[in-house]
Amino acid sequence: MAHAHKLEIFRGLLKFKSNTQKIWGVLIFLSIVTAIEVVLGIYKPRVLTHSYFLGMKLLNWIFIILTLVKAYYIAWDFMHLRDEKTSLRRAIVWVPVFLASYLVFILLFEADYVYTVYRDGFIKWNF
Amino acid sequence: MDTTVTTGTAKESVWGGGNQPLGASYGKMMMWFFIVSDALTFSGFLASYGFSRFKFIETWPIADEVFTHVPFFHGNYPMIYVAFMTFILIMSSVTMVLAVDAGHKMKQNAVIWYMFLTIIGGAIFLGSQAWEWATFIKGDYGAVETNGGRILQFVNAETGERAALADFAKILPSERAHHERKNGVWFYEEGYKPSFSLDEVREGFLANPNILIRTEAIVQEGEREGHKTLLTREQSLEKIKDAKLVVEGANLIRNEYGSRLFADFFFFITGFHGFHVFSGVVINVIIFFNVILGTYERRGHYEMVEKVGLYWHFVDLVWVFVFTFFYLV
């Protein structure tokens, strides 16, 4: 059966002998990432909750980046996008990535505007 | 898989069909079509959640204070249980991908076992989610709602802990006229009724000087930044006058945790995800029996396991995002 698996992750930093081994390796990596998220979520270090980047707390940036990292490894190794043809992989990944980022950008921008209307406008909502 | 359907050979014409420019069979392509469109649906949900949250950024409930329970344990353990659920789902994703791997090697028994473990993992996750919902719907402290639809929660000034309505509400003897079937032309069953009346909560609040009110507003600067605003006793006495309704737990109309949209989105997004997990388990069970019956052994390949595997990993992928945006951020 000509079924080639690409057996390395982290751009070749970590090589595995078999596909099964790679799966367990990815599991360990995903568990570590989740553990980091949970620990940060429980302790919420003051350094990270009180510094901002582009209007969002650093802690939240870390959470979102770690989420994307996890999503990458789930898609690449569990859904074996790593072994698919480049054209198929790009079609699958970039369509939702582009559309979702556009939607998120435009909705959050609008929501922020609505928030300022609630804050500065002459609407009484807290009574 | 070269053992599956036809692979493009040099003899075939490009327009004659039969070749696979993307190197994926028809079934797998269709699964990917579905997953991409479903991913867009979930992006829409999560983006609208973000919209509502940014709109009420200063009053949105803090997830750490809402999801604090672990089954069989008393006390305050934020995040622990959701982390456990996440781990279960990732683990079942691993057994699924091991099943796919065993399928490539045509090991029927291994596929059976890994599929079985996957189904068990899915069932544990679904049970956990049901428990999570039940806890969320039941609520734990209770609150009152003001005329403007804002939630006021109570805090014990001595301990700094949240105070449940039962801790301070005063039981007032009162007669309640029950509407009965024989008295009405149109009879509706009595709906949602909190365990204390507004008068009982209010009297209890006035009689206990160490109970303070906590509002929805998140402090924006100073020592208590990021926490909910705690009123002084004088402010609390003034604020309790606005109270209109006692709220316990959560439903689609109001909830004791804060913004109404919070519970709506919780039910909608985790519910839609839970529905995906449920259908994933059902499809897994069907494939599981097919594997036992030897269907794929006779067919010569286990591509069906691979396809249901894609769906199952997608469900895991969505949960990763739901986990971040509902529980972490």
Side-chain angles (χ1 to χ4, degrees), chain B residues 19-92:
Chain B
N19 57 359
Q20 299 172 351
L22 295 178
S25 69
Y26 173 79
K28 217 162 116 176
M29 278 299 287
M30 291 304 118
M31 184 48 95
W32 274 115
F33 267 51
F34 169 71
I35 286 175
V36 168
S37 61
D38 217 19
L40 291 174
T41 310
F42 272 108
S43 320
F45 290 166
L46 286 173
S48 57
Y49 171 79
F51 178 86
S52 301
R53 187 166 169 171
F54 269 53
K55 191 168 149 188
F56 300 112
I57 193 84
E58 282 179 355
T59 52
W60 200 253
I62 299 169
D64 271 6
E65 296 173 354
V66 178
F67 307 102
T68 58
H69 296 277
V70 175
F72 312 118
F73 290 95
H74 288 286
N76 190 354
Y77 304 103
M79 304 277 308
I80 301 290
Y81 196 56
V82 208
F84 164 77
M85 283 165 68
T86 309
F87 184 71
I88 287 291
L89 211 54
I90 290 180
M91 202 59 214
S92 82

Side-chain angles (χ1 to χ4, degrees), chain A:
Chain A
M1 195 164 258
H3 206 88
H5 286 290
K6 292 181 181 139
L7 294 177
E8 45 184 53
I9 59 172
F10 306 137
R11 296 198 167 273
L13 193 69
L14 213 56
K15 292 190 176 67
F16 296 102
K17 284 193 196 73
S18 70
N19 195 33
T20 327
Q21 227 179 35
K22 186 183 82 169
I23 294 165
W24 288 111
V26 172
L27 168 70
I28 290 167
F29 177 68
L30 290 180
S31 307
I32 292 172
V33 172
T34 309
I36 293 173
E37 283 183 336
V38 170
V39 168
L40 284 178
I42 291 174
Y43 291 104
K44 297 199 172 180
R46 211 183 150 76
V47 195
L48 296 176
T49 51
H50 284 67
S51 36
Y52 292 81
F53 178 68
L54 290 181
M56 196 163 69
K57 288 173 186 164
L58 271 191
L59 186 67
N60 289 354
W61 278 111
I62 293 176
F63 284 147
I64 289 169
I65 290 166
L66 289 181
T67 303
L68 293 175
V69 168
K70 279 206 288 191
Y72 173 86
Y73 282 98
I74 289 173
W76 254 244
D77 290 306
F78 289 174
M79 298 167 104
H80 38 79
L81 274 182
R82 205 188 285 278
D83 304 327
E84 301 291 356
K85 279 198 174 178
T86 321
S87 48
L88 176 65
R89 195 169 64 212
R90 286 183 182 157
I92 288 166
V93 173
W94 289 111
V95 171
V97 164
F98 173 74
L99 289 175
S101 5
Y102 173 67
L103 188 69
V104 165
F105 165 74
I106 209 157
L107 278 186
L108 294 190
F109 217 81
E110 178 72 11
D112 195 50
Y113 167 72
V114 178
Y115 160 71
T116 56
V117 169
Y118 271 117
R119 192 188 53 186
D120 306 328
F122 298 99
I123 300 168
K124 189 173 167 64
W125 54 271
N126 193 0
F127 52 92

